[in-house]
């Protein structure tokens, strides 16, 4: 069950606060209320015990929050580490603070109009509150075109113009006495100081921080009396967390791999599992029936990104009973931290990222102004992509995980993020420092082929050679010689669409049944054109938008 909270305030009614917890998995939230505070945290606070020990207080959340608030006032939540969002209401001053982590991966939405203030972790619930209280709002046409072109929304935008999403590192402060709302930046990746030390020291530091982050995550499982559950594929990111967990002496790890049967993600994962004595569960994606779950995925992604982004992971996670497991350990954004968002060996302007933002082949002109305005908020291509592709789109895996548990990634630990991004671009370009780090400090992880390059990740030159030549040769072999394109991808979505007539029938019917939800004439015509003339990806983007409009109207 997904954990949620909602807050409504008006001058007449005061605060109305609702929270929803998961009684079957109580570790997914923390709540208390006393004479001074009303506090709620959704997610996992990984460094709770560390904070308590460092402050020398009793092992209780109320004592911890009281002490942090006494010492740091409005900045109290900056001390937290983990996957979380939440709020603190100071009853005496009638001040409400709504906070999230550095990555903004636990979504919070807000609305403020004429002294009416609403906060909700569910965009759908917030929209229903707008209807209930007869508050004005409009569907955001620019966000609709963002879905059709970028496949996800940029910056703090949602599909409702007057509703914004709390960005990573931000905190809302609402003073009820004078109905004043302000946004504070508690933490950010935009002001990181560049590293000027030796590369050998940087490699050792990466190893130390990553080991600490993994230890925090797996220790959390142990502290709540749950088993370890991790995702595993043929990539580097997912395997690194598991290898470091084993180095930290965590055992009895259950891993889940989802892949088209026989693809490298499965074969490599099986070899890693055998070597590390993991319990491995494999869920085959053959047939692609999860592509027909538009309504379910739209409710999970809340319209922030296209429905197909998390379709395969949601399909696979539904096959697991999480009663005995704690967190869902992932490798989210590992490659991004260590260089995959870089176009070259030196810092590039945000405009260099434009081509990487596009997914659809239509209407780029209709989002160009938004793209430029958003890019103007970031100093580099890499940071622009981190906030608008990494945090806003790729981390969608966290949304699907929320249906079952809480997804964590050591690569998204604040210290690892900041230190990784502080390193010179020339070290990180082409993920060279990634290969250097694991070759020196986790050599055993390089004994297995990297799915991306089809080569062992033990030499820097192999990444470029693999990306530019070896993968292409492999593609020709599977697609042209063997005639089995489905064995060249973990998720061969277009192959499923072309070979499973039920998917095409579903797509056509979903479009016909739901196009009427688009009321704006030009947008409707554009959707009709894009669905009729576009490729497979274009069609999924149109269906994603129809799913959002249907969901919001329900």
């Amino acid at each position: 069950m997904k954990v949620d909270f909602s807050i409504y305030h008006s001058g007449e009614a005061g605060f109305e606060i609702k929270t929803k917890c998961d009684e079957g998995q109580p570790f997914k939230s923390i709540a208390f209320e006393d004479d001074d505070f009303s506090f709620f945290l959704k997610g996992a606070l990984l460094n709770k015990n560390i904070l308590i020990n460092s402050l020398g207080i009793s092992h209780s959340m109320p004592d911890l929050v009281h002490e942090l608030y006494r010492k740091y006032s409005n900045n109290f939540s900056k001390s937290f580490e983990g996957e979380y969002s939440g709020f603190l209401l100071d009853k005496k001053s009638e001040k409400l603070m709504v906070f999230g982590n550095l990555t903004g991966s636990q979504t919070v939405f807000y609305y403020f109009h004429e002294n009416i203030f609403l906060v909700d972790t569910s965009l759908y619930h917030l929209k229903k509150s707008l209807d209930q209280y007869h508050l004005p709002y409009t569907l955001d046409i620019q966000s609709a075109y963002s879905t059709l072109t970028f496949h996800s929304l940029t910056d703090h935008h949602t599909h409702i113009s007057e509703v914004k999403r709390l960005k990573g590192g931000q905190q809302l402060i609402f003073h009820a006495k004078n109905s004043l709302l302000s946004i504070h930046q508690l933490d950010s990746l935009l002001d990181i100081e560049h590293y000027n030390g030796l590369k050998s020291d940087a490699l050792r530091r990466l190893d130390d921080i990553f080991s600490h982050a993994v230890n925090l995550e797996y220790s959390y499982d142990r502290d709540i009396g749950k088993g370890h559950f991790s995702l595993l594929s043929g990539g580097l990111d997912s395997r690194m967390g598991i290898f470091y967990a084993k180095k930290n002496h965590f055992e009895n790890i259950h891993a889940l791999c989802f892949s088209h049967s026989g693809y490298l993600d499965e074969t490599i994962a099986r070899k890693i599992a055998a070597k590390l004595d993991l319990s491995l569960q494999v869920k085959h994606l053959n047939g692609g029936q999860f592509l027909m779950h538009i309504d379910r995925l739209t409710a999970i992604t809340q319209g922030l990104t296209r429905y197909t982004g998390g379709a395969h992971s949601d399909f696979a996670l539904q096959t697991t009973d999480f009663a005995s497991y704690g967190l869902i350990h992932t490798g989210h954004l590992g490659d991004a931290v260590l260089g995959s968002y870089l176009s070259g060996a030196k810092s590039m302007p945000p405009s260099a990222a434009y081509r990487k933002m596009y997914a659809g082949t239509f209407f780029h002109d209709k989002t160009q102004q938004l793209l430029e305005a958003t890019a103007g908020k970031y100093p580099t291509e890499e940071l622009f992509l981190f906030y608008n592709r990494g945090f806003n789109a790729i981390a969608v895996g966290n949304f699907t995980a929320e249906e079952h548990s809480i997804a964590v990634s050591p690569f998204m630990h604040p210290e690892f993020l900041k230190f990784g991004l502080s390193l010179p671009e020339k070290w990180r370009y082409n993920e060279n420092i990634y290969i250097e780090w694991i070759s020196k400090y986790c050599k055993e992880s390089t004994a297995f082929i990297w799915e991306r390059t089809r080569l062992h990740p033990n030499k820097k030159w192999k990444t470029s050679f693999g990306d530019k030549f070896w993968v292409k040769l492999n593609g020709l072999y599977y697609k042209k010689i063997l005639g089995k394109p489905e064995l060249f991808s973990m998720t061969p979505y277009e192959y499923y669409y072309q070979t499973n007539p039920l998917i095409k029938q579903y797509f056509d019917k979903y479009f016909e049944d739901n196009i009427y939800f688009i009321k704006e004439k030009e947008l409707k015509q554009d959707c009709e054109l894009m669905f009729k003339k576009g490729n497979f990806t274009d069609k999924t983007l149109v269906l994603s938008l129809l799913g959002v409009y249907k969901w919001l109207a329900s």
Side-chain angles (χ1 to χ4, degrees):
M1 178 190 295
K2 187 172 178 287
V3 173
D4 283 306
F5 65 83
S6 62
I7 303 169
Y8 170 81
H9 182 275
S10 69
E12 298 79 19
F15 283 105
E16 296 180 13
I17 298 176
K18 297 178 182 178
T19 61
K20 184 178 77 171
C21 301
D22 187 343
E23 294 183 359
Q25 294 176 303
F27 64 86
K28 292 165 63 175
S29 62
I30 303 173
F32 74 83
E33 184 157 1
D34 57 26
D35 292 339
D36 299 313
F37 298 146
S38 178
F39 176 87
F40 188 84
L41 184 141
K42 166 192 173 183
L45 181 58
L46 299 180
N47 67 333
K48 174 186 172 183
N49 291 335
I50 293 175
L51 288 173
I52 285 173
N53 291 333
S54 67
L55 294 171
I57 58 176
S58 66
H59 281 257
S60 77
M61 197 64 194
D63 287 349
L64 174 60
V65 172
H66 275 270
E67 180 62 16
L68 289 175
Y69 191 65
R70 184 190 68 80
K71 290 189 68 172
Y72 305 116
S73 187
N74 296 344
N75 296 332
F76 76 97
S77 66
K78 190 174 181 179
S79 301
F80 294 164
E81 294 177 2
E83 278 292 320
Y84 63 85
S85 61
F87 67 83
L88 173 67
L89 174 61
D90 182 334
K91 296 179 179 179
K92 294 178 180 177
S93 64
E94 297 185 52
K95 178 174 62 177
L96 175 73
M97 288 149 283
V98 181
F99 54 85
N101 63 2
L102 176 61
T103 63
S105 49
Q106 297 288 321
T107 53
V108 176
F109 305 96
Y110 61 96
Y111 172 98
F112 186 53
H113 175 75
E114 294 183 353
N115 300 328
I116 304 294
F117 181 50
L118 291 95
V119 175
D120 210 307
T121 49
S122 166
L123 180 62
Y124 179 80
H125 292 154
L126 196 153
K127 190 264 182 185
K128 290 300 179 185
S129 295
L130 296 179
D131 291 334
Q132 177 185 346
Y133 296 113
H134 306 291
L135 295 170
Y137 66 89
T138 53
L139 293 177
D140 193 273
I141 300 300
Q142 192 68 78
S143 290
Y145 280 104
S146 294
T147 299
L148 297 179
T149 54
F150 308 139
H151 82 69
S152 60
L153 306 190
T154 61
D155 205 39
H156 59 185
H157 300 293
T158 74
H159 281 281
I160 299 175
S161 298
E162 296 79 7
V163 175
K164 305 304 180 186
R165 178 187 178 186
L166 192 67
K167 292 173 61 176
Q170 287 185 338
Q171 178 175 251
L172 300 176
I173 299 181
F174 178 69
H175 294 271
K177 289 181 179 179
N178 54 8
S179 196
L180 178 65
L181 176 66
S182 57
I183 303 173
H184 296 254
Q185 194 72 43
L186 284 186
D187 208 355
S188 173
L189 298 178
L190 302 185
D191 53 4
I192 298 172
E193 293 186 10
H194 295 294
Y195 177 80
N196 294 312
L198 298 174
K199 183 186 284 187
S200 58
D201 292 338
L203 293 172
R204 182 169 59 253
R205 184 69 179 138
L206 283 174
D207 176 67
D208 289 343
I209 299 172
F210 193 80
S211 182
H212 169 70
V214 170
N215 190 63
L216 272 182
E217 294 174 3
Y218 277 79
S219 294
Y220 187 91
D221 294 335
R222 182 192 60 207
D223 292 344
I224 63 174
K226 297 288 186 177
H228 308 301
F229 181 93
S230 178
L231 302 184
L232 179 62
S233 67
L236 287 187
D237 302 340
S238 64
R239 78 175 68 167
M240 293 312 301
I242 293 177
F243 270 98
Y244 270 79
K246 296 290 284 189
K247 287 176 67 173
N248 280 300
H249 308 294
F250 292 100
E251 301 294 338
N252 302 316
I253 300 172
H254 180 77
L256 170 66
C257 170
F258 38 91
S259 168
H260 188 89
S261 60
Y263 180 61
L264 283 173
D265 273 311
E266 178 185 355
T267 59
I268 296 170
R270 288 191 183 278
K271 291 176 182 178
I272 293 174
K275 177 68 174 179
L276 298 183
D277 192 27
L278 309 175
S279 168
L280 180 67
Q281 171 189 352
V282 177
K283 179 61 178 178
H284 290 145
L285 304 175
N286 301 40
Q289 61 262 42
F290 49 85
L291 293 173
M292 298 184 285
H293 298 167
I294 296 176
D295 292 338
R296 173 179 169 81
L297 269 299
T298 300
I300 291 173
T301 65
Q302 307 201 70
L304 297 175
T305 187
R306 62 179 168 186
Y307 86 94
T308 53
H312 57 304
S313 58
D314 177 65
F315 175 70
L317 288 170
Q318 289 183 68
T319 65
T320 300
D321 181 358
F322 283 89
S324 60
Y325 299 119
L327 304 173
I328 298 176
H329 301 276
T330 78
H332 288 158
L333 295 181
D335 57 343
V337 183
L338 297 174
S340 70
Y341 283 163
L342 294 171
S343 293
K346 62 180 181 179
S347 178
M348 302 287 283
S351 57
Y354 289 177
R355 62 181 178 83
K356 299 178 183 179
M357 287 291 292
Y358 289 115
T361 59
F362 288 72
F363 315 126
H364 292 188
D365 59 314
K366 296 187 177 182
T367 52
Q368 184 66 28
Q369 186 175 356
L370 172 66
L371 191 63
E372 292 174 356
T374 305
K377 300 179 180 181
Y378 302 92
T380 65
E381 163 203 31
E382 185 177 38
L383 289 170
F384 172 52
L385 287 171
F386 242 101
Y387 277 90
N388 293 280
R389 189 166 178 79
F391 296 164
N392 278 15
I394 293 176
V396 70
N398 287 26
F399 301 160
T400 59
E402 279 189 56
E403 302 296 308
H404 312 281
S405 181
I406 305 164
V408 293
S409 169
F411 294 101
M412 294 170 69
H413 184 274
E415 190 176 6
F416 192 88
L417 273 175
K418 292 178 180 179
F419 184 72
L421 291 174
S422 77
L423 301 176
E425 286 86 353
K426 63 182 179 181
W427 292 358
R428 293 185 294 118
Y429 178 59
N430 215 29
E431 296 171 72
N432 285 339
I433 201 162
Y434 202 161
I435 304 303
E436 292 184 79
W437 162 41
I438 65 176
S439 295
K440 183 171 184 178
Y441 287 99
C442 195
K443 192 172 184 178
E444 58 273 29
S445 69
T446 69
F448 306 91
I449 288 174
W450 183 8
E451 177 268 341
R452 170 178 147 185
T453 63
R454 272 69 171 172
L455 298 168
H456 290 277
N458 52 7
K459 300 291 182 182
K460 291 185 291 184
W461 66 265
K462 290 184 177 181
T463 305
S464 181
F465 176 78
D467 287 345
K468 294 178 180 178
F469 302 106
W470 192 239
V471 172
K472 292 180 180 179
L473 288 173
N474 273 256
L476 289 173
Y477 174 71
Y478 283 106
K479 294 176 182 179
K480 301 298 183 182
I481 298 176
L482 290 184
K484 292 184 175 295
E486 71 275 17
L487 294 180
F488 190 65
S489 172
M490 176 184 79
T491 53
Y493 285 179
E494 188 163 2
Y495 170 80
Y496 298 150
Y497 175 75
Q498 297 293 346
T499 59
N500 185 346
L502 293 178
I503 297 177
K504 186 176 189 305
Q505 293 170 17
Y506 174 83
F507 275 23
D508 290 343
K509 188 174 189 308
Y510 195 93
F511 179 83
E512 293 170 4
D513 289 348
N514 297 291
I515 185 63
Y516 80 93
F517 284 109
I518 308 293
K519 306 300 183 184
E520 206 273 333
K521 183 179 179 180
E522 182 179 350
L523 177 60
K524 183 177 182 180
Q525 291 175 341
D526 286 343
C527 286
E528 291 171 336
L529 173 65
M530 187 169 173
F531 187 79
K532 181 179 180 181
K533 300 291 187 180
N535 58 28
F536 168 77
T537 297
D538 293 328
K539 294 181 190 298
T540 63
L541 296 174
V542 173
L543 296 179
S544 294
L545 182 61
L546 298 190
V548 172
Y549 276 53
K550 176 185 178 182
W551 174 64
L552 289 174
S554 64

